[in-house]
């Protein structure tokens, strides 16, 4: 690990000011330290935000939730309000990492965890995300973990978070405080960027921007689930995942929000297929038609061609489960 | 970087490079070599210790981030003369072969049982809103962050099952 200076921030403003001057925030450290040991990330200054007062889960005036950026993944998953009103979020968190890691991993850090692309992790390899302009070794290489939606000629990596996929299906917003003290909220949908020709720029955050909270509006459906398909039953990243939020009325689908993990540079959403579902009486034919429409834009990258069929089936299974009974 | 930790009930002072992980601080600076370094990347659980009552991977945390925290390692759970309930259960059930993963398994299981008692659900819980009984499936899922290269898993699960539900850990 490269040497660095360590400071424990005593206020959000101090933290944001230091970050605007080039320092890197450290929260749980479970992703950052992993990457620092491999010298994939080499910050010269770390600013510790663990003891800032950002670990509350509060209900908002409209009946939603405001989740502090330092709320640990395990506390969020076990929160009574989350378990009863946003089970898709509990399920996604519980499907990620391990008990030990969830005890450290924070809400803000989880959103900003980096890709698990093998070449990004290997400093001997070219990688446009790690070293802009160096090339992309994944294209034409090993692509089991890589994207089938929204990839570019510069990067085909996926975002690895499970939590973010559930938050995307719940229409969450990210609350950000800048070094000047301005607070703004950004829709998760526009928070993450597609790789384009700047895969090293992953979000709308500017230097010094501190995530202070995630805001979740009231759930639009009570029927929720998160299904994750992976190479082993636990403690592995998603090959594909589906977060679903459905509401039914008189035997018809009244609302559908769907987000997909393991398939793109950000949690993938396709509102067109959600609209196709509204008003329909659930049936295998409807689900197949919707899954066909989702995967019409999918593009395989060699090894990962299996994801197209896998996502199709996983989506149909989730829709079946959520519309039953 | 000066850091003060309470380790197994004792106040310990440390003056180490900020790069020092909690695991390296315990093993190399405080001479507590029970916690093991398997992967050093959060992937195996051999380094699991309990900080402020919660199990974490000590390899993915900096010692300096834990100033004034309370750390419990395998050495703090019991002694060879007075084993903790889980330590005894691992012996009784042959919950290990080479023993490398065992300190991490036992620290992890100790704190995991507290999580179950607090009503935390898991990935395999059919109903995330309900309190769970500790089945074999639940134990396997909740302990998935602790790998055992010798694959002593069935006996590890038996040892934990033995202690689950009793007041002692
Ligand atoms: C073995 C292993 C398995 C895993 N499996 C899964 C899995 O299956 N699913 C999954 O979703 N995740 C998985 N993870 C990843 C894990 O969820 C992340 O490492 C964790 O969520 C990161 O949170 P953190 O608080 O530790 O972030 P840190 O490592 O502290 O930070 C990550 C990044 O976010 C930045 N940051 C942190 N907080 C803020 C803030 N408030 N504002 C602005 N920037 C901030 C940091 O500067 C850093 O760049 C796994 C990790 C490991 C090691
Ligand atoms: S896919 Fe992206 S992260 Fe992976 S090597 Fe290519 S540029 Fe790097
Ligand atoms: S040594 Fe910490 S998880 Fe493997
Ligand atoms: S007993 Fe050998 S690794 Fe578990």
């Amino acid at each position: 690990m490269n040497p660095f200076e360590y400071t424990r921030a005593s206020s959000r403003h101090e933290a944001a000011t230091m970050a605007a001057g080039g320092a890197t925030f450290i929260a749980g450290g479970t992703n950052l330290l992993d990457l620092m040991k491999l010298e994939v990330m080499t910050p010269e200054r770390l600013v510790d935000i663990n003891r800032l007062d950002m670990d509350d889960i509060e209900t908002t005036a409209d009946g939603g939730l405001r989740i502090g950026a330092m709320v640990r993944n395990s506390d969020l998953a076990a929160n009574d309000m989350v378990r009863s009103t946003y089970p898709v979020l509990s399920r996604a968190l519980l499907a990620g990492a391990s008990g030990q890691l969830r005890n450290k991993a924070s809400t803000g850090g989880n959103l900003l965890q980096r890709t698990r692309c093998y070449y990004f992790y290997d400093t001997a390899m070219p990688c446009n995300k790690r070293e802009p302009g160096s090339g992309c070794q994944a294209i034409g290489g090993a692509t089991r973990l890589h994207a089938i939606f929204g990839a570019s000629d510069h990067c085909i990596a996926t975002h690895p978070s499970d939590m973010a996929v559930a938050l995307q299906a719940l229409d969450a917003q990210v609350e950000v405080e800048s070094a000047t003290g301005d607070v703004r909220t950004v829709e998760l949908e526009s928070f993450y960027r597609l790789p384009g020709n700047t895969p090293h720029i992953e979000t709308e955050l500017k230097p010094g921007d501190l995530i202070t909270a995630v805001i979740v509006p009231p759930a639009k459906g009570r029927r929720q689930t998160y299904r994750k398909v992976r190479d082993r039953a636990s403690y592995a990243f998603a090959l594909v995942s589906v977060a679903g939020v459905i509401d039914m009325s008189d035997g018809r689908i009244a609302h559908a929000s769907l987000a997909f993990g393991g398939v793109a540079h950000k949690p993938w959403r396709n509102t067109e297929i959600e609209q196709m579902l509204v008003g329909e009486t659930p049936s295998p034919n409807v689900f197949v038609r919707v899954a066909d429409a989702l995967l019409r834009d999918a593009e395989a990258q060699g090894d990962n061609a299996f994801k197209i069929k896998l996502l199709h089936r996983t989506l149909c299974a989730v829709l079946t489960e959520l519309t039953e009974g | 970087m000066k850091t003060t930790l309470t380790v197994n009930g004792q106040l310990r002072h440390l003056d180490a490079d900020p790069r020092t992980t909690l695991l390296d601080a315990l093993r190399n600076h405080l001479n507590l070599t029970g916690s093991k370094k398997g992967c050093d990347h959060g992937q195996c659980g051999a380094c699991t210790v309990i900080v402020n009552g919660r199990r974490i991977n000590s390899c993915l945390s900096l010692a300096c981030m834990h100033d004034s925290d309370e750390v419990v390692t395998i050495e703090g759970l019991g002694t060879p003369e007075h084993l903790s309930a889980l330590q005894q259960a691992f012996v009784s059930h042959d919950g290990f072969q080479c023993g490398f993963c065992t300190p991490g398994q036992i620290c992890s299981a100790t704190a995991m049982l507290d999580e179950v008692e607090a009503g935390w659900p898991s990935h395999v819980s059919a109903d995330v809103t309900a309190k769970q009984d500790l089945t074999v499936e639940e134990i396997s899922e909740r302990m998935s962050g602790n790998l055992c290269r010798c694959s002593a898993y069935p006996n590890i699960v038996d040892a934990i099952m033995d202690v689950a539900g009793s007041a002692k850990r």
Side-chain angles (χ1 to χ4, degrees):
Chain A
M1 209 190 293
N2 282 4
F4 56 83
E5 238 174 74
Y6 168 88
T7 310
R8 180 177 301 135
S10 50
S11 69
R12 292 202 296 270
H13 180 68
E14 183 193 359
T17 308
M18 286 187 65
T24 300
F25 299 122
I26 183 162
T30 59
N31 189 228
L32 183 58
L33 290 172
D34 186 14
L35 293 168
M36 284 171 64
K37 286 180 183 194
L38 298 166
E39 296 179 8
V40 173
M41 289 178 79
T42 52
E44 286 168 13
R45 277 181 299 149
L46 286 190
V47 49
D48 183 349
I49 58 172
N50 278 276
R51 299 196 191 182
L52 299 181
D53 193 15
M54 301 197 292
D55 54 4
D56 286 331
I57 304 175
E58 306 153 313
T59 38
T60 55
D62 66 352
L65 270 195
R66 183 180 180 280
I67 304 158
M70 278 313 307
V71 172
R72 307 292 167 173
N73 287 179
S74 52
D75 289 309
L76 188 56
N79 178 272
D80 284 336
M81 172 95 172
V82 175
R83 286 159 74 177
S84 58
T85 323
Y86 305 101
V88 62
L89 181 54
S90 270
R91 289 241 173 254
L93 287 160
L94 294 169
S98 67
Q100 290 96 313
L101 288 160
R102 292 192 294 270
N103 276 338
K104 281 248 106 196
S106 66
T107 307
N110 189 314
L111 287 179
L112 295 184
Q113 61 175 297
R114 313 291 307 273
T115 184
R116 307 305 280 202
C117 170
Y118 327 108
Y119 306 101
F120 173 73
Y121 263 78
D122 183 347
T123 53
M125 294 289 170
C127 166
N128 288 325
K129 188 183 276 301
R130 181 168 29 74
E131 221 178 296
S134 62
C136 171
Q137 193 73 16
I139 296 174
T143 57
R144 189 168 176 78
L145 291 177
H146 292 74
I148 54 171
F149 293 120
S152 74
D153 294 344
H154 301 268
C155 178
I156 59 171
T158 51
H159 194 273
S161 168
D162 292 297
M163 179 191 81
V165 180
L167 288 175
Q168 181 72 271
L170 290 167
D171 298 307
Q173 299 177 325
V174 185
E175 184 188 279
V176 180
E177 184 171 326
S178 73
T180 56
D182 296 331
V183 177
R184 66 183 195 278
T185 53
V186 188
E187 299 285 340
L188 198 58
E189 177 60 30
S190 43
F191 178 78
Y192 290 116
R193 298 167 52 122
L194 286 175
N197 54 14
T198 53
H200 59 292
I201 305 172
E202 294 168 348
T203 67
E204 288 303 321
L205 294 179
K206 302 281 176 295
D209 281 348
L210 174 70
I211 298 176
T212 47
V214 168
I215 296 165
V216 191
K220 298 197 179 83
R222 294 184 60 83
R223 297 164 179 253
Q224 302 179 12
T225 199
Y226 185 73
R227 185 167 306 194
K228 175 173 178 179
V229 185
R230 41 187 158 172
D231 280 327
R232 58 182 182 199
S234 187
Y235 204 15
F237 287 92
L239 293 168
V240 306
S241 71
V242 177
V245 177
I246 299 270
D247 193 32
M248 300 272 294
S249 158
D250 298 330
R252 289 174 187 276
I253 297 170
H255 174 85
S257 311
L258 300 164
F260 307 96
V263 291
H265 202 247
K266 61 187 215 175
W268 194 250
R269 186 109 183 236
N270 180 327
T271 46
E272 188 192 318
I273 65 159
E274 295 173 6
Q275 285 313 315
M276 282 174 71
L277 281 163
V278 174
E280 291 287 349
T281 307
S283 78
N285 285 344
V286 171
F287 300 158
V288 165
R289 202 153 33 83
V290 163
D292 284 346
L294 170 70
L295 288 152
R296 207 171 38 218
D297 313 328
E299 215 176 308
Q301 309 280 347
D303 289 350
N304 73 356
F306 72 95
K307 284 189 179 181
I308 294 177
K309 207 171 230 174
L310 187 59
L311 184 61
H312 193 284
R313 289 177 177 163
T314 310
L315 174 56
C316 289
V318 162
L319 291 172
T320 305
E321 179 190 330
L322 288 180
T323 53
E324 263 168 3
Chain B
M1 188 89 213
K2 286 201 164 55
T3 307
T4 304
L5 303 164
T6 305
V7 184
N8 301 330
Q10 279 187 313
L11 216 54
R12 304 293 298 263
H13 302 281
L14 200 73
D15 193 359
D17 187 287
R19 284 175 289 185
T20 312
T21 60
L22 179 59
L23 177 62
D24 287 341
L26 292 168
R27 289 181 55 84
N28 305 340
H29 295 254
L30 303 176
N31 211 21
L32 290 165
T33 53
S35 308
K36 297 290 183 271
K37 186 184 285 190
C39 64
D40 215 19
H41 286 280
Q43 296 172 0
C44 76
C47 65
T48 305
V49 300
I50 304 171
V51 176
N52 301 337
R54 295 203 167 182
R55 52 178 173 156
I56 66 163
N57 305 97
S58 60
C59 70
L60 283 190
S61 211
L62 298 171
C64 59
M65 294 168 72
H66 290 286
D67 194 51
S68 74
D69 281 354
E70 281 191 33
V71 183
V72 175
T73 68
I74 189 71
E75 291 92 342
L77 290 178
T79 62
E81 296 74 37
H82 298 283
L83 297 177
S84 75
L86 271 165
Q87 286 172 328
Q88 182 58 55
F90 268 68
V91 174
S92 307
H93 289 273
D94 258 340
F96 45 80
Q97 289 175 43
C98 76
F100 190 83
C101 71
T102 315
Q105 298 277 4
I106 294 179
C107 284
S108 184
T110 302
M112 181 276 284
L113 291 177
D114 290 337
E115 296 171 3
V116 173
E117 203 163 283
W120 290 12
S122 87
H123 169 64
V124 297
S125 306
D127 176 1
V128 282
T129 62
K131 197 169 172 175
Q132 302 306 319
D133 290 332
L134 211 53
T135 58
V136 168
E137 203 193 2
E138 284 281 351
I139 293 178
S140 305
E141 166 58 27
R142 289 169 194 265
M143 293 295 293
S144 73
N146 291 87
L147 305 191
C148 176
R149 194 66 205 272
C150 303
S151 211
Y153 298 114
N155 296 1
I156 293 172
V157 172
D158 286 350
I160 296 172
M161 195 64 109
D162 208 7
V163 174
S166 74
K168 289 210 184 98
R169 299 272 190 276

